[in-house]
Amino acid sequence: MVASIEAEANGVAKDIDPTAVVASEPLPPLVAENGKLLGGAGHEQKEEKEIILGKNVHTMCLEVTEPESDDDFTGDKEAYLASVLARYRKNLMERTKHHLGYPYNLDFDYGALGQLQHFSINNLGDPFIESNYGVHSRQFEVGVLDWFARLWELEKDEYWGYMTNCGTEGNLHGILVGREVFPDGILYGSRDSHYSVFKAARMYRMECVKVDTLLSGEIDCADLRIKLLANKDKPAILNVNIGTTVKGAVDDLDLVIQTLEYCGFNHDRFYIHCDGALFGLMMPFVKCAPKVTFKKPIGSVSVSGHKFVGCPMPCGVQITRMEHINVLSRNVEYLASRDATIMGSRNGHAPVFLWYTLNRKGYKGFQKEVQKCLRNAHYLKDCLRSAGISAMLNELSSTVVFERPADEEFVRRWQLACQGNMAHVIVMPNVTIEKLDDFLNELIENRLTWYEDGKAQPPCLAEDVGSENCVCPLHKS
Protein backbone atom coordinates (compact mmCIF):
# COMPACT_ATOMS: atom_id res chain seq x y z
CA MET A 1 0.00 0.00 0.00
CA VAL A 2 2.79 2.39 0.98
CA ALA A 3 4.52 1.73 -2.32
CA SER A 4 1.39 2.63 -4.26
CA ILE A 5 0.95 5.81 -2.22
CA GLU A 6 4.56 6.79 -2.83
CA ALA A 7 4.21 6.17 -6.54
CA GLU A 8 1.12 8.33 -6.65
CA ALA A 9 2.83 11.00 -4.55
CA ASN A 10 5.77 11.01 -6.90
CA GLY A 11 3.31 11.86 -9.64
CA VAL A 12 2.15 14.84 -7.61
CA ALA A 13 5.72 15.94 -6.98
CA LYS A 14 6.25 16.49 -10.71
CA ASP A 15 3.79 19.36 -10.63
CA ILE A 16 4.04 20.55 -7.02
CA ASP A 17 7.04 21.13 -4.81
CA PRO A 18 5.92 19.95 -1.34
CA THR A 19 8.58 22.13 0.29
CA ALA A 20 7.56 25.29 -1.53
CA VAL A 21 6.59 28.06 0.89
CA VAL A 22 4.51 31.14 0.25
CA ALA A 23 5.70 34.03 2.40
CA SER A 24 3.89 34.55 5.72
CA GLU A 25 1.79 31.39 5.36
CA PRO A 26 2.44 28.50 7.80
CA LEU A 27 2.88 24.91 6.57
CA PRO A 28 2.44 21.59 8.38
CA PRO A 29 5.72 20.44 9.97
CA LEU A 30 7.55 18.03 7.68
CA VAL A 31 8.13 14.54 9.07
CA ALA A 32 11.39 12.93 8.00
CA GLU A 33 12.01 9.25 7.22
CA ASN A 34 13.01 8.64 10.84
CA GLY A 35 9.59 9.82 11.98
CA LYS A 36 10.84 13.01 13.67
CA LEU A 37 9.52 16.51 12.98
CA LEU A 38 11.72 18.78 10.95
CA GLY A 39 11.80 22.56 11.09
CA GLY A 40 11.79 24.78 8.02
CA ALA A 41 15.56 24.46 7.69
CA GLY A 42 15.54 20.71 8.30
CA HIS A 43 16.46 20.80 12.01
CA GLU A 44 14.79 18.42 14.44
CA GLN A 45 12.23 19.92 16.79
CA LYS A 46 13.02 18.43 20.21
CA GLU A 47 10.71 20.37 22.49
CA GLU A 48 8.15 18.22 24.29
CA LYS A 49 4.47 19.07 24.03
CA GLU A 50 2.56 19.40 27.27
CA ILE A 51 -0.99 18.07 27.30
CA ILE A 52 -3.17 21.09 28.06
CA LEU A 53 -6.80 21.25 27.01
CA GLY A 54 -7.28 23.64 24.10
CA LYS A 55 -3.61 24.49 23.59
CA ASN A 56 -1.94 21.47 21.98
CA VAL A 57 -3.39 21.72 18.50
CA HIS A 58 -3.31 25.51 18.36
CA THR A 59 0.48 25.46 18.57
CA MET A 60 0.61 23.83 15.13
CA CYS A 61 -2.75 24.63 13.56
CA LEU A 62 -3.10 25.94 10.02
CA GLU A 63 -4.84 29.28 10.11
CA VAL A 64 -7.60 29.98 7.62
CA THR A 65 -6.72 33.20 5.81
CA GLU A 66 -9.01 35.35 3.69
CA PRO A 67 -8.23 35.39 -0.05
CA GLU A 68 -6.90 38.63 -1.51
CA SER A 69 -9.49 40.81 -3.22
CA ASP A 70 -7.03 41.46 -6.06
CA ASP A 71 -7.23 38.68 -8.63
CA ASP A 72 -3.48 39.00 -9.26
CA PHE A 73 -2.84 37.19 -5.98
CA THR A 74 -5.03 34.16 -6.85
CA GLY A 75 -2.13 32.20 -8.32
CA ASP A 76 -0.07 32.60 -5.15
CA LYS A 77 -2.96 31.43 -3.01
CA GLU A 78 -3.55 28.34 -5.13
CA ALA A 79 0.16 27.51 -5.01
CA TYR A 80 0.13 27.86 -1.22
CA LEU A 81 -2.89 25.58 -0.83
CA ALA A 82 -1.29 22.99 -3.13
CA SER A 83 1.95 23.06 -1.16
CA VAL A 84 0.13 22.61 2.16
CA LEU A 85 -1.78 19.60 0.86
CA ALA A 86 1.31 18.06 -0.72
CA ARG A 87 3.30 18.34 2.48
CA TYR A 88 0.38 17.02 4.52
CA ARG A 89 0.15 14.05 2.15
CA LYS A 90 3.85 13.34 2.63
CA ASN A 91 3.36 13.40 6.41
CA LEU A 92 0.45 10.97 6.11
CA MET A 93 2.61 8.61 4.08
CA GLU A 94 5.32 8.60 6.73
CA ARG A 95 2.95 8.23 9.68
CA THR A 96 1.25 5.32 7.92
CA LYS A 97 4.62 3.54 7.86
CA HIS A 98 4.91 3.80 11.64
CA HIS A 99 1.39 2.92 12.72
CA LEU A 100 1.11 0.01 15.15
CA GLY A 101 -0.86 0.89 18.27
CA TYR A 102 -4.39 1.51 16.99
CA PRO A 103 -6.81 -0.96 15.37
CA TYR A 104 -7.04 0.50 11.88
CA ASN A 105 -6.50 -1.53 8.73
CA LEU A 106 -4.57 0.83 6.44
CA ASP A 107 -4.32 -1.66 3.59
CA PHE A 108 -7.03 -0.58 1.15
CA ASP A 109 -7.51 0.87 -2.30
CA TYR A 110 -10.75 2.67 -3.12
CA GLY A 111 -9.53 4.48 -6.22
CA ALA A 112 -12.54 3.18 -8.16
CA LEU A 113 -14.85 5.19 -5.87
CA GLY A 114 -13.22 8.55 -6.56
CA GLN A 115 -15.93 9.25 -9.14
CA LEU A 116 -18.49 9.54 -6.31
CA GLN A 117 -16.73 12.28 -4.35
CA HIS A 118 -18.56 15.00 -6.29
CA PHE A 119 -21.89 14.04 -4.70
CA SER A 120 -23.35 14.90 -1.31
CA ILE A 121 -24.62 11.45 -0.32
CA ASN A 122 -26.70 11.53 2.87
CA ASN A 123 -28.58 8.57 4.34
CA LEU A 124 -31.30 10.29 6.35
CA GLY A 125 -33.76 8.41 8.51
CA ASP A 126 -34.50 4.69 8.51
CA PRO A 127 -32.34 2.71 6.02
CA PHE A 128 -35.33 0.56 5.12
CA ILE A 129 -37.76 3.42 4.36
CA GLU A 130 -37.51 5.74 1.37
CA SER A 131 -37.35 9.43 2.28
CA ASN A 132 -37.82 12.60 0.23
CA TYR A 133 -34.06 13.04 -0.09
CA GLY A 134 -32.98 11.24 -3.24
CA VAL A 135 -29.16 11.52 -3.14
CA HIS A 136 -28.59 8.56 -0.83
CA SER A 137 -26.94 5.12 -0.75
CA ARG A 138 -29.53 3.14 1.20
CA GLN A 139 -29.45 0.34 -1.37
CA PHE A 140 -25.74 -0.16 -0.54
CA GLU A 141 -26.36 0.27 3.20
CA VAL A 142 -29.04 -2.42 3.34
CA GLY A 143 -26.80 -4.73 1.31
CA VAL A 144 -24.06 -4.30 3.93
CA LEU A 145 -26.54 -4.81 6.78
CA ASP A 146 -27.85 -8.02 5.18
CA TRP A 147 -24.28 -9.33 4.96
CA PHE A 148 -23.65 -8.74 8.67
CA ALA A 149 -27.05 -10.13 9.64
CA ARG A 150 -26.13 -13.37 7.83
CA LEU A 151 -22.74 -13.38 9.60
CA TRP A 152 -24.47 -13.14 12.99
CA GLU A 153 -27.32 -15.49 12.02
CA LEU A 154 -30.37 -13.24 12.07
CA GLU A 155 -33.01 -13.48 9.34
CA LYS A 156 -33.82 -10.47 7.15
CA ASP A 157 -37.31 -10.04 8.57
CA GLU A 158 -36.03 -10.31 12.16
CA TYR A 159 -33.33 -7.65 12.26
CA TRP A 160 -33.03 -3.89 12.08
CA GLY A 161 -29.82 -1.95 11.78
CA TYR A 162 -27.99 0.98 10.27
CA MET A 163 -24.50 2.16 9.46
CA THR A 164 -23.12 4.30 12.23
CA ASN A 165 -20.40 6.93 12.17
CA CYS A 166 -18.09 4.90 14.46
CA GLY A 167 -17.89 2.08 17.00
CA THR A 168 -18.80 4.42 19.83
CA GLU A 169 -22.11 5.25 18.15
CA GLY A 170 -22.80 1.51 17.87
CA ASN A 171 -22.32 1.15 21.62
CA LEU A 172 -24.41 4.24 22.35
CA HIS A 173 -27.23 2.84 20.20
CA GLY A 174 -27.08 -0.71 21.56
CA ILE A 175 -27.15 0.49 25.15
CA LEU A 176 -29.91 2.99 24.36
CA VAL A 177 -32.07 0.20 22.95
CA GLY A 178 -31.43 -1.80 26.13
CA ARG A 179 -32.37 1.19 28.27
CA GLU A 180 -35.59 1.74 26.29
CA VAL A 181 -36.53 -1.94 26.57
CA PHE A 182 -35.78 -1.86 30.32
CA PRO A 183 -36.17 1.76 31.52
CA ASP A 184 -35.30 0.78 35.11
CA GLY A 185 -32.48 -1.58 34.12
CA ILE A 186 -28.93 -1.41 35.48
CA LEU A 187 -26.02 -1.27 33.04
CA TYR A 188 -23.19 -3.72 33.73
CA GLY A 189 -19.82 -3.43 32.02
CA SER A 190 -16.37 -4.77 32.82
CA ARG A 191 -13.65 -2.37 33.91
CA ASP A 192 -11.82 -3.11 30.66
CA SER A 193 -14.79 -2.05 28.51
CA HIS A 194 -14.38 0.78 26.02
CA TYR A 195 -14.87 4.23 27.52
CA SER A 196 -17.97 4.75 25.35
CA VAL A 197 -19.88 2.25 27.51
CA PHE A 198 -19.49 4.48 30.56
CA LYS A 199 -20.09 7.56 28.41
CA ALA A 200 -23.46 6.02 27.51
CA ALA A 201 -24.26 5.58 31.20
CA ARG A 202 -23.55 9.27 31.82
CA MET A 203 -25.47 10.45 28.76
CA TYR A 204 -28.55 8.37 29.55
CA ARG A 205 -28.22 8.84 33.34
CA MET A 206 -28.28 5.10 33.87
CA GLU A 207 -27.26 3.33 37.03
CA CYS A 208 -23.98 1.64 36.08
CA VAL A 209 -22.08 -1.15 37.83
CA LYS A 210 -18.45 -1.88 36.91
CA VAL A 211 -17.49 -5.54 36.99
CA ASP A 212 -13.98 -6.76 37.78
CA THR A 213 -11.84 -8.43 35.14
CA LEU A 214 -9.39 -11.31 35.04
CA LEU A 215 -5.71 -10.71 34.26
CA SER A 216 -6.51 -11.48 30.62
CA GLY A 217 -8.91 -8.51 30.55
CA GLU A 218 -11.95 -10.79 30.28
CA ILE A 219 -14.99 -10.10 32.46
CA ASP A 220 -14.88 -11.89 35.82
CA CYS A 221 -18.18 -13.77 35.92
CA ALA A 222 -17.72 -14.60 39.61
CA ASP A 223 -17.81 -10.87 40.37
CA LEU A 224 -20.65 -10.42 37.87
CA ARG A 225 -22.67 -13.03 39.77
CA ILE A 226 -22.18 -11.17 43.06
CA LYS A 227 -23.28 -7.87 41.58
CA LEU A 228 -26.28 -9.34 39.76
CA LEU A 229 -27.52 -11.01 42.93
CA ALA A 230 -27.24 -7.67 44.75
CA ASN A 231 -29.66 -6.13 42.22
CA LYS A 232 -32.05 -8.97 41.47
CA ASP A 233 -35.05 -6.66 41.58
CA LYS A 234 -33.96 -4.71 38.46
CA PRO A 235 -33.43 -5.92 34.86
CA ALA A 236 -29.85 -6.23 33.63
CA ILE A 237 -28.38 -4.47 30.59
CA LEU A 238 -24.94 -5.89 29.84
CA ASN A 239 -22.10 -4.85 27.60
CA VAL A 240 -20.10 -7.89 26.45
CA ASN A 241 -16.70 -7.21 24.90
CA ILE A 242 -15.71 -9.03 21.74
CA GLY A 243 -12.15 -7.80 22.16
CA THR A 244 -11.28 -5.28 24.88
CA THR A 245 -9.54 -2.01 24.02
CA VAL A 246 -6.16 -2.58 25.69
CA LYS A 247 -5.67 -6.35 25.97
CA GLY A 248 -7.90 -7.62 23.18
CA ALA A 249 -9.72 -9.95 25.59
CA VAL A 250 -12.97 -11.63 24.52
CA ASP A 251 -15.65 -11.97 27.19
CA ASP A 252 -17.13 -15.45 27.46
CA LEU A 253 -20.63 -14.76 26.13
CA ASP A 254 -21.90 -18.25 27.00
CA LEU A 255 -20.65 -17.95 30.58
CA VAL A 256 -22.22 -14.48 30.90
CA ILE A 257 -25.59 -15.91 29.81
CA GLN A 258 -25.21 -18.86 32.21
CA THR A 259 -24.40 -16.43 35.02
CA LEU A 260 -27.54 -14.41 34.30
CA GLU A 261 -29.67 -17.54 34.29
CA TYR A 262 -28.04 -18.81 37.49
CA CYS A 263 -28.90 -15.49 39.18
CA GLY A 264 -32.57 -15.87 38.22
CA PHE A 265 -32.68 -13.50 35.26
CA ASN A 266 -35.00 -14.95 32.63
CA HIS A 267 -34.44 -14.00 28.99
CA ASP A 268 -37.14 -11.34 29.26
CA ARG A 269 -35.25 -9.60 32.08
CA PHE A 270 -31.90 -8.93 30.46
CA TYR A 271 -30.49 -7.28 27.35
CA ILE A 272 -26.97 -7.98 26.05
CA HIS A 273 -25.12 -5.64 23.71
CA CYS A 274 -21.96 -7.09 22.13
CA ASP A 275 -19.22 -4.55 21.44
CA GLY A 276 -17.36 -6.13 18.53
CA ALA A 277 -15.67 -2.94 17.30
CA LEU A 278 -12.52 -4.73 16.13
CA PHE A 279 -12.79 -8.45 16.78
CA GLY A 280 -16.49 -8.75 15.96
CA LEU A 281 -15.49 -9.29 12.33
CA MET A 282 -12.40 -11.37 13.15
CA MET A 283 -13.78 -13.94 15.58
CA PRO A 284 -16.19 -15.60 13.10
CA PHE A 285 -13.10 -16.67 11.14
CA VAL A 286 -11.03 -17.98 14.07
CA LYS A 287 -11.10 -21.76 14.42
CA CYS A 288 -12.72 -23.06 17.61
CA ALA A 289 -13.70 -19.52 18.68
CA PRO A 290 -17.07 -19.22 20.45
CA LYS A 291 -19.77 -17.83 18.19
CA VAL A 292 -21.42 -14.46 18.46
CA THR A 293 -24.87 -15.21 17.11
CA PHE A 294 -28.44 -14.03 17.52
CA LYS A 295 -29.38 -17.67 18.05
CA LYS A 296 -28.22 -16.85 21.59
CA PRO A 297 -30.29 -14.40 23.71
CA ILE A 298 -28.40 -11.23 22.76
CA GLY A 299 -30.00 -7.92 21.84
CA SER A 300 -27.48 -6.20 19.55
CA VAL A 301 -24.01 -6.35 18.02
CA SER A 302 -21.89 -3.48 16.71
CA VAL A 303 -18.68 -3.47 14.72
CA SER A 304 -16.45 -0.74 13.29
CA GLY A 305 -16.02 -0.43 9.53
CA HIS A 306 -12.73 1.49 9.61
CA LYS A 307 -10.94 -1.10 11.74
CA PHE A 308 -10.54 -4.64 10.43
CA VAL A 309 -12.54 -4.05 7.24
CA GLY A 310 -10.43 -1.04 6.28
CA CYS A 311 -12.24 2.17 5.35
CA PRO A 312 -10.79 5.68 4.88
CA MET A 313 -13.42 7.29 7.11
CA PRO A 314 -14.71 6.22 10.56
CA CYS A 315 -17.91 4.19 10.28
CA GLY A 316 -19.60 1.13 11.74
CA VAL A 317 -22.50 -1.28 11.66
CA GLN A 318 -25.16 -1.77 14.33
CA ILE A 319 -27.56 -4.73 14.22
CA THR A 320 -30.42 -5.34 16.65
CA ARG A 321 -33.62 -7.35 16.73
CA MET A 322 -36.61 -5.93 14.89
CA GLU A 323 -38.81 -6.49 17.94
CA HIS A 324 -36.75 -4.01 19.94
CA ILE A 325 -36.54 -1.12 17.52
CA ASN A 326 -40.13 0.07 17.85
CA VAL A 327 -39.28 1.40 21.32
CA LEU A 328 -36.98 3.93 19.64
CA SER A 329 -38.51 4.57 16.23
CA ARG A 330 -40.42 7.80 15.65
CA ASN A 331 -42.14 9.24 12.56
CA VAL A 332 -40.40 12.29 11.08
CA GLU A 333 -42.68 14.17 8.69
CA TYR A 334 -39.82 16.39 7.51
CA LEU A 335 -38.08 13.29 6.13
CA ALA A 336 -41.21 11.36 5.13
CA SER A 337 -39.59 8.50 7.04
CA ARG A 338 -39.08 7.02 10.47
CA ASP A 339 -35.93 7.39 12.50
CA ALA A 340 -34.40 5.32 15.27
CA THR A 341 -30.75 6.30 14.82
CA ILE A 342 -28.49 8.32 17.11
CA MET A 343 -27.46 10.85 14.49
CA GLY A 344 -29.62 12.70 11.99
CA SER A 345 -27.57 13.02 8.82
CA ARG A 346 -25.39 9.99 8.17
CA ASN A 347 -22.42 9.52 5.88
CA GLY A 348 -23.78 8.11 2.64
CA HIS A 349 -20.33 7.42 1.20
CA ALA A 350 -19.35 4.93 3.92
CA PRO A 351 -21.92 2.25 2.92
CA VAL A 352 -20.57 2.31 -0.65
CA PHE A 353 -17.00 1.84 0.62
CA LEU A 354 -17.99 -1.10 2.84
CA TRP A 355 -20.17 -2.66 0.14
CA TYR A 356 -17.26 -2.41 -2.29
CA THR A 357 -14.71 -4.12 -0.03
CA LEU A 358 -17.14 -6.81 1.22
CA ASN A 359 -17.79 -7.75 -2.40
CA ARG A 360 -14.08 -7.83 -3.22
CA LYS A 361 -12.98 -9.87 -0.17
CA GLY A 362 -15.96 -11.92 0.93
CA TYR A 363 -15.87 -14.43 3.77
CA LYS A 364 -12.84 -16.28 2.36
CA GLY A 365 -10.84 -13.08 1.96
CA PHE A 366 -11.48 -12.05 5.57
CA GLN A 367 -10.59 -15.54 6.77
CA LYS A 368 -7.18 -15.31 5.11
CA GLU A 369 -6.55 -11.87 6.59
CA VAL A 370 -7.54 -13.04 10.09
CA GLN A 371 -5.17 -16.01 9.88
CA LYS A 372 -2.35 -13.73 8.71
CA CYS A 373 -2.94 -11.29 11.59
CA LEU A 374 -2.94 -14.04 14.22
CA ARG A 375 0.24 -15.60 12.82
CA ASN A 376 2.03 -12.26 12.79
CA ALA A 377 0.81 -11.44 16.31
CA HIS A 378 2.28 -14.71 17.62
CA TYR A 379 5.51 -13.91 15.79
CA LEU A 380 5.71 -10.50 17.51
CA LYS A 381 4.94 -11.93 20.94
CA ASP A 382 7.54 -14.69 20.57
CA CYS A 383 10.20 -12.22 19.38
CA LEU A 384 9.52 -9.89 22.32
CA ARG A 385 9.81 -12.73 24.81
CA SER A 386 13.00 -13.99 23.13
CA ALA A 387 14.46 -10.51 23.55
CA GLY A 388 13.66 -10.55 27.27
CA ILE A 389 10.67 -8.22 27.05
CA SER A 390 7.46 -8.89 29.01
CA ALA A 391 4.61 -9.66 26.60
CA MET A 392 1.15 -11.24 26.53
CA LEU A 393 -1.18 -12.30 23.72
CA ASN A 394 -4.71 -13.51 24.40
CA GLU A 395 -5.72 -16.68 22.60
CA LEU A 396 -8.35 -15.12 20.33
CA SER A 397 -6.59 -11.83 19.77
CA SER A 398 -4.08 -10.01 17.56
CA THR A 399 -3.36 -7.43 20.29
CA VAL A 400 0.15 -7.93 21.72
CA VAL A 401 0.61 -6.31 25.15
CA PHE A 402 4.16 -5.54 26.30
CA GLU A 403 6.15 -3.22 28.55
CA ARG A 404 5.68 0.48 27.97
CA PRO A 405 8.76 1.96 26.23
CA ALA A 406 10.75 4.30 28.48
CA ASP A 407 10.97 7.01 25.82
CA GLU A 408 7.77 8.88 24.95
CA GLU A 409 9.31 9.98 21.64
CA PHE A 410 9.53 6.29 20.69
CA VAL A 411 5.88 5.87 21.70
CA ARG A 412 4.82 8.79 19.50
CA ARG A 413 6.96 7.65 16.58
CA TRP A 414 5.31 4.22 16.46
CA GLN A 415 1.91 5.59 17.57
CA LEU A 416 1.61 3.10 20.43
CA ALA A 417 -1.41 3.07 22.71
CA CYS A 418 -0.38 2.96 26.37
CA GLN A 419 -2.04 2.43 29.74
CA GLY A 420 0.02 2.50 32.91
CA ASN A 421 3.08 0.29 32.42
CA MET A 422 1.55 -1.38 29.36
CA ALA A 423 1.73 -0.63 25.67
CA HIS A 424 0.26 -2.64 22.84
CA VAL A 425 0.64 -3.34 19.15
CA ILE A 426 -2.50 -4.36 17.27
CA VAL A 427 -1.50 -6.52 14.32
CA MET A 428 -3.75 -5.60 11.40
CA PRO A 429 -3.71 -6.81 7.76
CA ASN A 430 -1.35 -4.00 6.74
CA VAL A 431 1.21 -4.94 9.42
CA THR A 432 3.80 -7.15 7.75
CA ILE A 433 6.62 -9.22 9.23
CA GLU A 434 9.06 -6.68 7.76
CA LYS A 435 7.31 -3.84 9.58
CA LEU A 436 7.34 -5.81 12.83
CA ASP A 437 11.06 -6.53 12.38
CA ASP A 438 11.77 -2.82 11.94
CA PHE A 439 9.84 -2.09 15.12
CA LEU A 440 11.53 -4.89 17.08
CA ASN A 441 15.03 -3.92 15.99
CA GLU A 442 14.45 -0.30 16.93
CA LEU A 443 12.87 -1.22 20.28
CA ILE A 444 15.67 -3.60 21.23
CA GLU A 445 18.36 -1.11 20.20
CA ASN A 446 16.72 1.69 22.21
CA ARG A 447 16.28 -0.49 25.30
CA LEU A 448 20.07 -0.91 25.48
CA THR A 449 20.28 2.86 25.91
CA TRP A 450 17.32 3.20 28.28
CA TYR A 451 18.63 0.63 30.75
CA GLU A 452 22.39 0.68 30.10
CA ASP A 453 23.50 2.29 33.39
CA GLY A 454 21.53 -0.17 35.52
CA LYS A 455 19.81 2.62 37.45
CA ALA A 456 16.56 2.32 35.52
CA GLN A 457 14.82 -1.05 35.21
CA PRO A 458 12.10 -2.31 32.86
CA PRO A 459 8.63 -2.05 34.45
CA CYS A 460 7.07 -5.02 36.20
CA LEU A 461 3.89 -6.19 34.44
CA ALA A 462 2.98 -9.04 36.79
CA GLU A 463 -0.11 -7.24 38.10
CA ASP A 464 -1.21 -6.35 34.56
CA VAL A 465 -0.58 -9.55 32.59
CA GLY A 466 0.42 -12.16 35.18
CA SER A 467 3.83 -13.19 36.51
CA GLU A 468 4.10 -15.92 33.85
CA ASN A 469 4.18 -13.21 31.17
CA CYS A 470 6.48 -10.84 33.03
CA VAL A 471 10.27 -11.01 32.60
CA CYS A 472 11.24 -7.96 34.62
CA PRO A 473 14.33 -8.40 36.86
CA LEU A 474 12.07 -9.56 39.70
CA HIS A 475 10.30 -12.29 37.67
CA LYS A 476 13.03 -13.26 35.20
CA SER A 477 13.58 -16.99 35.54
Side-chain angles (χ1 to χ4, degrees), residues 25-26 61-67 77 80:
E25 299 278 18
C61 77
L62 291 165
E63 184 181 0
V64 176
T65 58
E66 291 298 312
K77 188 70 171 182
Y80 159 69

Side-chain angles (χ1 to χ4, degrees), residues 168 171 190 192-198 239 241 245 275 307:
T168 287
N171 288 341
S190 81
D192 281 25
S193 297
H194 190 258
Y195 67 85
S196 60
V197 173
F198 308 109
N239 177 76
N241 295 303
T245 307
D275 176 9
K307 291 179 180 171

Side-chain angles (χ1 to χ4, degrees), residues 89 96 143 170 174 323 331:
R89 180 186 182 84
T96 296
E323 64 190 79
N331 288 327

Side-chain angles (χ1 to χ4, degrees), residues 71-278:
D71 291 339
D72 292 340
F73 290 92
T74 302
D76 288 343
K77 188 70 171 182
E78 292 300 323
Y80 159 69
L81 296 175
S83 64
V84 169
L85 294 175
R87 179 170 280 197
Y88 176 58
R89 180 186 182 84
K90 189 171 183 179
N91 286 357
L92 290 177
M93 288 163 49
E94 196 287 327
R95 299 316 288 142
T96 296
K97 292 180 186 178
H98 300 91
H99 184 279
L100 285 178
Y102 294 87
Y104 308 134
N105 179 5
L106 305 181
D107 185 15
F108 52 75
D109 181 3
Y110 291 105
L113 303 184
Q115 59 188 310
L116 305 179
Q117 299 308 303
H118 299 288
F119 300 97
S120 177
I121 310 176
N122 194 330
N123 287 2
L124 299 161
D126 192 307
F128 302 92
I129 301 175
E130 190 76 16
S131 77
N132 289 336
Y133 188 75
V135 188
H136 62 78
S137 63
R138 277 191 290 274
Q139 63 274 49
F140 293 93
E141 183 174 16
V142 174
V144 170
L145 296 173
D146 283 348
W147 190 91
F148 279 96
R150 285 196 304 273
L151 183 70
W152 295 321
E153 301 184 303
L154 194 56
E155 297 297 325
K156 286 185 179 181
D157 60 349
E158 295 179 354
Y159 90 86
W160 185 91
Y162 76 105
M163 278 197 60
T164 63
N165 289 297
C166 59
T168 287
E169 186 181 347
N171 288 341
L172 292 177
H173 191 274
I175 292 170
L176 178 60
V177 173
R179 200 281 306 268
E180 293 298 288
V181 172
F182 298 117
D184 61 338
I186 296 176
L187 175 62
Y188 298 84
S190 81
R191 296 185 182 278
D192 281 25
S193 297
H194 190 258
Y195 67 85
S196 60
V197 173
F198 308 109
K199 176 192 284 189
R202 292 195 303 273
M203 289 176 64
Y204 306 146
R205 299 193 177 186
M206 299 173 67
E207 184 178 352
C208 181
V209 174
K210 287 188 178 181
V211 181
D212 291 339
T213 54
L214 308 176
L215 278 175
S216 65
E218 179 184 334
I219 191 170
D220 183 350
C221 284
D223 187 55
L224 175 62
R225 181 171 64 249
I226 292 170
K227 286 168 178 173
L228 286 171
L229 290 172
N231 298 284
K232 287 185 66 175
D233 58 325
K234 291 187 176 181
I237 302 166
L238 287 94
N239 177 76
V240 169
N241 295 303
I242 314 302
T244 57
T245 307
V246 176
K247 297 181 179 179
V250 176
D251 293 343
D252 189 331
L253 175 60
D254 294 330
L255 185 56
V256 167
I257 294 170
Q258 291 171 18
T259 302
L260 283 160
E261 293 171 344
Y262 172 83
C263 294
F265 287 82
N266 297 327
H267 291 185
D268 61 354
R269 291 193 65 243
F270 68 80
Y271 180 99
I272 295 176
H273 169 68
C274 297
D275 176 9
L278 169 61

Side-chain angles (χ1 to χ4, degrees), residues 109-113 140 144 350-362:
D109 181 3
Y110 291 105
L113 303 184
F140 293 93
V144 170
V352 184
F353 279 77
L354 257 62
W355 175 89
Y356 182 80
T357 197
L358 292 178
N359 273 285
R360 292 189 67 190
K361 294 181 180 180

